[in-house]
Amino acid sequence: MANGTLTPGGRKILDAAALLFYGRGINAVGVDLIARQAGVTKKTLYDRFGSKEALVAAYLRERDQRWREWLTARVSAGGGSAYGRVLATFDGLGEWMRRENPRGCAFVNAAAELTGPAHPGRAVIEDQKRWLRGYLRELGEEAGAADPAGLADELALLHEGATVLGGLSVTENPAATARSLAVLAMERAGCT
């Protein structure tokens, strides 16, 4: 996958790895199982990705890309005011959690397993969280927040808290609760 293009075998490997890593956990899944589920040999897996660590990073990059594209399209499709677009991120989060994240945030789950700072997946996880905060900051600026960075911190914490509590089934509708708290944060920030 050096040039970024997946062969059919590479696609099968990445699809199988994504289901297994999210469903069972990264450390619980070995390359033998991934290869078997993908219907390829271990040699093919290593030829396409080089290592399990690189496969983990590829899985996380692809999931991040899907989330970014889906969320920004969902927020844009809603139109409306900048204020409404900030709240739409929480509506989108609730939908995504029901559809794609029944076990909580894949990045939070991966971060708990990938404790070594040199693991290539860590950089993907950190980039994903920075992107979300940056996106929320942009939306906060558009909504007129007096301190867009501070608001972005609050909104990102609400997003992350909702995904963690949702994955643990601690609250019934964590994204809706986070949305309600986001309204208060935006009012404090002077958003209109």
Side-chain angles (χ1 to χ4, degrees), residues 54-75:
L55 178 57
V56 168
Y59 149 68
L60 291 169
R61 272 192 302 278
E62 186 169 85
R63 191 170 182 99
D64 178 32
Q65 188 63 36
R66 274 193 4 250
W67 162 244
R68 290 181 194 206
E69 290 174 2
W70 187 86
L71 182 65
T72 56
R74 168 69 171 74
V75 169

Side-chain angles (χ1 to χ4, degrees), residues 19 22 59 63 66-67 70 92-106 109:
L19 288 172
Y22 185 74
Y59 149 68
R63 191 170 182 99
R66 274 193 4 250
W67 162 244
W70 187 86
L93 176 63
E95 289 175 37
W96 182 265
M97 288 168 57
R98 285 186 295 278
R99 256 184 21 173
E100 301 283 337
N101 274 9
R103 290 191 64 244
C105 176
N109 295 348

Side-chain angles (χ1 to χ4, degrees), residues 22 67 70-71 74-75 86-104 132 158-167 171-180:
Y22 185 74
W67 162 244
W70 187 86
L71 182 65
R74 168 69 171 74
V75 169
V86 171
L87 296 179
T89 68
F90 291 92
D91 299 332
L93 176 63
E95 289 175 37
W96 182 265
M97 288 168 57
R98 285 186 295 278
R99 256 184 21 173
E100 301 283 337
N101 274 9
R103 290 191 64 244
L132 178 61
L158 291 171
H159 264 261
E160 294 306 315
T163 61
V164 170
L165 292 180
T171 61
E172 188 173 323
N173 192 346
T177 301
R179 185 186 195 278
S180 297

Side-chain angles (χ1 to χ4, degrees), residues 108-122:
V108 170
N109 295 348
E113 292 192 72
L114 307 178
T115 58
H119 192 291
R122 291 295 299 191

Side-chain angles (χ1 to χ4, degrees), residues 1-188:
M1 201 176 102
N3 65 2
T5 303
L6 286 174
T7 63
R11 177 80 265 154
K12 288 195 289 187
I13 293 164
L14 190 54
D15 290 346
L19 288 172
L20 291 166
F21 289 155
Y22 185 74
R24 297 185 186 185
I26 291 168
N27 293 334
V29 173
V31 293
D32 289 320
L33 178 58
I34 296 167
R36 192 168 48 253
Q37 289 290 108
V40 302
T41 64
K42 272 181 27 178
K43 181 182 181 327
T44 300
L45 185 148
Y46 285 115
D47 286 347
R48 299 301 180 272
F49 293 94
S51 67
K52 180 181 175 184
E53 291 78 14
L55 178 57
V56 168
Y59 149 68
L60 291 169
R61 272 192 302 278
E62 186 169 85
R63 191 170 182 99
D64 178 32
Q65 188 63 36
R66 274 193 4 250
W67 162 244
R68 290 181 194 206
E69 290 174 2
W70 187 86
L71 182 65
T72 56
R74 168 69 171 74
V75 169
S76 294
S81 68
Y83 188 96
R85 287 192 303 278
V86 171
L87 296 179
T89 68
F90 291 92
D91 299 332
L93 176 63
E95 289 175 37
W96 182 265
M97 288 168 57
R98 285 186 295 278
R99 256 184 21 173
E100 301 283 337
N101 274 9
R103 290 191 64 244
C105 176
F107 298 93
V108 170
N109 295 348
E113 292 192 72
L114 307 178
T115 58
H119 192 291
R122 291 295 299 191
V124 179
I125 294 165
E126 292 164 11
D127 184 58
Q128 192 274 333
K129 298 307 177 190
R130 282 188 200 99
W131 173 82
L132 178 61
R133 185 188 173 281
Y135 181 55
L136 294 168
R137 180 186 172 133
E138 288 173 21
L139 293 174
E141 284 175 0
E142 292 171 18
D147 177 10
L151 177 62
D153 287 342
E154 289 185 61
L155 298 176
L157 284 166
L158 291 171
H159 264 261
E160 294 306 315
T163 61
V164 170
L165 292 180
L168 296 172
S169 301
V170 172
T171 61
E172 188 173 323
N173 192 346
T177 301
R179 185 186 195 278
S180 297
L181 294 169
V183 169
L184 299 174
M186 290 173 33
E187 287 174 2
R188 281 193 315 274

